Amino acid sequence: MPETSQWVYPSGSASEGVWQTSLGAADSAVKVPGWAHTGIKVASLAPGQSVTLSGGQEERLVIPLEGACTVTADGTKYELRGRRSVFAGPTDVLYSGVGTPLTLSSEDGGRFAIALAPASASYPVRLVTAEETPRELRGSGVCSRQVHNFGTPGTLEADRFIVCEVITPAGNWSSYPPHKHDEEKDGETSLEEIYYFETQTAAGAPASPGADPMGYARVYASDERPIDVSAEVRTGDVVLVPYGWHGPAMAVPGYDLYYLNVMAGPGRVREWLISDDPHHGWIRQTWDSEPMDPRLPFTS
């Protein structure tokens, strides 16, 4: 397999039955050599359609991307109000621990993601509402972006994974400065990472029937392990980050960029600790002197 194609999965290239994307799960048809700690599933459900996952040795987080759904977890029903799109602000999400069977159904249909990670300790089912989700505006100037921290340690009690989502306005850079989290050492944790992308034509852009919303993602080597990814991404595409510097994720002019991040690793602590690429880390020092992008926050 060519080195880049091992880490980049265009929409539909990792499909499995009802799942448009099924990567990293124990039942995934697409196996990624060496990938062990994270997974993602994405399904589009027609009105009235449902999908079931049996209980497994993994924890899961259900994230509505478009539309509302009902999730039955261990016999109890939870209503996730969902949203119009991933660019419409936070959504309700549902966490389930080890061994919990799930059924997703949607009266009006929609698209739904499930982040997952192999786990050993079991935590109770929890609904995190949109109102409870911390909304962070990070960076400034052309590095301004919006982060929804619904699955991070400060918000959600879980065993292994860290899950959040990021919205980057057209023309801005996120996942910047480039950073890594591929070693267990002071100030850094070892975490695999999944980027699931969506794109849209920015609000106020001229109407163009031929518009092709896209963005770019970069991953490159931080040590002797080879990796060199410069990927053009669109809605439904996935980039895996097994190690190395990653960033920027670029929202090109005219198109907003969204990504869902799923991280987990083998370390003792569930914490996102990173090292910046020393060539570019200085950029953080400029943020205090620049204003936040006035297009933020994205809301419903």
Side-chain angles (χ1 to χ4, degrees):
M1 173 181 289
E3 189 271 334
T4 296
S5 65
Q6 184 178 359
W7 310 122
V8 179
Y9 292 85
S11 179
S13 63
S15 62
E16 182 179 23
V18 69
W19 303 104
Q20 296 169 327
T21 298
S22 181
L23 282 167
D27 62 349
S28 294
V30 176
K31 302 300 181 184
V32 182
W35 201 258
H37 303 289
T38 57
I40 185 169
K41 287 177 171 284
V42 179
S44 289
L45 299 182
Q49 188 179 12
S50 65
V51 61
T52 296
L53 287 173
S54 60
Q57 198 64 33
E58 60 189 21
E59 56 187 353
R60 297 163 176 157
L61 192 67
V62 180
I63 304 122
L65 303 173
E66 179 183 340
C69 66
T70 300
V71 182
T72 304
D74 230 1
T76 301
K77 289 187 176 182
Y78 299 85
E79 301 296 334
L80 277 61
R81 291 167 294 170
R83 51 190 166 182
R84 176 175 46 81
S85 81
V86 294
F87 298 98
T91 179
D92 301 340
V93 301
L94 186 78
Y95 171 84
S96 65
V98 171
T100 305
L102 295 179
T103 297
L104 277 70
S105 61
S106 179
E107 182 177 350
D108 297 320
R111 289 184 301 107
F112 308 95
I114 301 180
L116 58 90
S120 52
S122 187
Y123 290 83
V125 174
R126 182 185 166 192
L127 175 67
V128 180
T129 66
E131 293 79 10
E132 293 175 292
T133 297
R135 185 183 65 189
E136 174 189 359
L137 300 185
R138 185 178 297 173
S140 69
V142 296
C143 292
S144 301
R145 62 270 208 185
Q146 177 173 332
V147 186
H148 300 152
N149 290 307
F150 45 64
T152 55
T155 304
L156 178 69
E157 189 176 25
D159 184 28
R160 303 307 305 172
F161 63 25
I162 299 170
V163 188
C164 65
E165 61 185 10
V166 180
I167 303 172
T168 309
N172 285 9
W173 291 32
S174 56
S175 281
Y176 195 77
H179 57 280
K180 74 180 184 75
H181 37 72
D182 58 11
E183 296 181 84
E184 287 291 326
K185 65 178 185 179
D186 288 344
E188 187 175 333
T189 44
S190 177
L191 300 166
E192 287 180 351
E193 185 164 14
I194 295 171
Y195 279 69
Y196 166 82
F197 291 96
E198 299 210 357
T199 53
Q200 73 166 11
T201 301
S208 176
D212 181 20
M214 65 177 187
Y216 288 91
R218 179 81 171 114
V219 187
Y220 58 100
S222 59
D223 54 29
E224 71 282 353
R225 293 171 292 182
I227 188 166
D228 187 2
V229 174
S230 295
E232 191 173 282
V233 294
R234 293 174 173 80
T235 293
D237 293 352
V238 174
V239 173
L240 304 181
V241 183
Y243 46 77
W245 306 115
H246 45 289
M250 293 167 276
V252 300
Y255 304 120
D256 300 322
L257 182 69
Y258 162 96
Y259 51 87
L260 174 66
N261 282 146
V262 186
M263 294 174 276
R268 293 183 301 105
V269 296
R270 177 180 168 245
E271 194 168 2
W272 184 65
L273 299 176
I274 65 171
S275 298
D276 285 337
D277 183 331
H279 295 96
H280 309 298
W282 64 268
I283 196 68
R284 293 187 190 274
Q285 301 171 27
T286 69
W287 291 349
D288 289 341
S289 61
E290 298 182 13
M292 181 61 59
D293 191 312
R295 293 173 292 178
L296 297 174
F298 282 62
T299 69
S300 58

